[in-house]
Amino acid sequence: MLYYLFDYLDKQFNIPGAGVFQYISFRALGATVLSLFIAATWGKSIINLLRRKQMGESIRDLGLAGQMEKAGTPTMGGFIILASLLIPVLLFAKLSNVYIVLLLITALWTGGIGFLDDYLKKFKNNKDGLAGRFKIVGQVGLGLIVGITLSFNNNVKIRVYDQPVLSSSLGEVQRYRDIIHPTVTTIPFIKNNEFDYRTLLFGWLPEEYTWVIYTIIAIFIITAISNGANITDGIDGLAAGVSGIIALTLGVLAYLSGNTKFSQYLNIMYIPNSGELVIFCAAFIGACVGFLWYNAYPAQVFMGDTGSLMLGGVIAVVALAIRKEWLIPVMCGIFIVENASVILQVSYFKYTKRKYGEGRRIFLMSPLHHHYQKKGIHEAKIVTRFWIVGIILAILTLATLKLR
């Protein structure tokens, strides 16, 4: 909204300084500062409101050190993240941008799914919350919206520059062509690192149905990463910290992908208008850091599914929007490993129960962070080490820009 206001003031009245809102860097900085300010000023009020509504977390005794001391800590703190994210984006971003609209829908959609789960647990005394199948239906629905939008919206395109043409009057002129409804994506660690989904089934599927394959992949990614963030949210500061690191990585990739000069220098896909995602990522980082003020050990509030499902959903959609979804196994490695630890634990337990008559376990407890808690490592140390791993994965992700 502020973008349009200052753009109008600049064009109509030529007010000094109004044109600064044209710069992505300035708006990203403003979004970050405002996001931190909202979290810091409103966070305490939201926590007190949750306490008054008796939204304390019910703790199931799993035999973890310090676990029962957290009983009664307010949950549904994801509202702090949502408010700190959405308000700056609405103020500083171009709301006509297809990627911003898609991410606003994603944040509200996944936050809504998480809210229903938390609401049923707290207000309806349903300890299991929203049934898993309904969560999946919601995530599949979002995947359909994202996949179809990125496949058919005319504002979704990539720009390919041809060889420069020399002109005595104009100097060096670069010609380009826009590819509407692109079917290509980025493959890491490969020299010519673009992959076309049309070739995925060796030409068996007609080209006009490529969107079906892409949408199925989008559904899988959104579901996996959203649930991965949800599972990672098990100890104080873990999910918010890891998500902030991933968002910073995505913000850098979005800036490079949306900048003509940097994208050509790095020989990566140039995606017009994707630079606007930097504002969203900046607000996302501010929201995560601001939430950590209250969620760091010992936590004053838990984000609940309202926050964790939203974090994963937004990360997945940003990666899809900038055509970097195949970097997710590296960038979101912690979410994937946490997810895999649960799948492996459950699968192995069921297999050994059928074969030997009693279930056996790979880990002392899943997800993986609880395994380390069972080994007697303090949760603050576990979180710090997971953050360090997240930073290493972020560096490796950015290194793929040159390591081919």
Side-chain angles (χ1 to χ4, degrees), residues 158 182-186 194-198 214 269 323 325:
I158 63 172
T183 57
V184 295
T185 190
T186 302
E194 289 185 7
F195 173 77
D196 197 327
Y197 282 112
R198 290 180 297 182
Y214 180 77
M269 200 182 301
R323 309 280 161 174
E325 61 269 24

Side-chain angles (χ1 to χ4, degrees), residues 322-351:
I322 59 175
R323 309 280 161 174
K324 298 293 186 291
E325 61 269 24
W326 291 99
L327 277 171
I328 283 178
V330 181
M331 180 169 44
C332 301
I334 289 177
F335 291 164
I336 291 171
V337 168
E338 291 272 46
N339 242 340
S341 69
V342 174
I343 295 170
L344 287 172
Q345 184 88 321
V346 172
S347 301
Y348 188 70
F349 185 86
K350 290 181 177 179
Y351 168 75

Side-chain angles (χ1 to χ4, degrees), residues 140-278:
V140 169
L142 176 61
L144 285 171
I145 293 171
V146 172
I148 291 172
T149 300
L150 294 178
S151 296
F152 292 109
N153 191 286
N154 290 333
N155 293 312
V156 175
K157 55 191 174 184
I158 63 172
R159 183 165 292 172
V160 179
Y161 284 87
D162 298 324
Q163 292 296 319
V165 177
L166 293 178
S167 169
S168 58
S169 59
L170 298 176
E172 188 178 89
V173 177
Q174 286 195 306
R175 299 182 304 173
Y176 65 83
R177 55 192 173 90
D178 285 342
I179 301 175
I180 311 294
H181 312 149
T183 57
V184 295
T185 190
T186 302
I187 300 293
F189 303 114
I190 296 176
K191 192 169 183 63
N192 297 315
N193 66 332
E194 289 185 7
F195 173 77
D196 197 327
Y197 282 112
R198 290 180 297 182
T199 65
L200 191 61
L201 296 179
F202 307 102
W204 174 78
L205 192 70
E207 288 186 13
E208 60 267 27
Y209 295 112
T210 303
W211 69 271
V212 176
I213 298 295
Y214 180 77
T215 302
I216 291 171
I217 291 172
I219 289 170
F220 174 78
I221 290 171
I222 290 169
T223 303
I225 302 304
S226 183
N227 288 330
N230 184 232
I231 289 171
T232 303
D233 180 36
I235 51 180
D236 300 348
L238 180 56
V242 171
S243 297
I245 294 167
I246 296 171
L248 178 59
T249 309
L250 286 169
V252 173
L253 293 173
Y255 182 78
L256 297 174
S257 298
N259 185 286
T260 309
K261 293 182 179 179
F262 282 124
S263 61
Q264 289 187 75
Y265 170 73
L266 293 168
N267 191 26
I268 61 174
M269 200 182 301
Y270 173 55
I271 307 172
N273 304 315
S274 66
E276 204 66 20
L277 290 171
V278 176

Side-chain angles (χ1 to χ4, degrees), residues 3 6-7 10 17-31 92-94 255 275-276 278-279:
Y3 170 82
F6 280 88
D7 183 54
D10 184 42
V20 75
F21 269 78
Q22 298 295 323
Y23 295 97
I24 286 175
S25 55
F26 176 81
R27 289 186 286 131
L29 178 61
F92 286 96
K94 292 181 185 177
Y255 182 78
E276 204 66 20
V278 176
I279 286 90

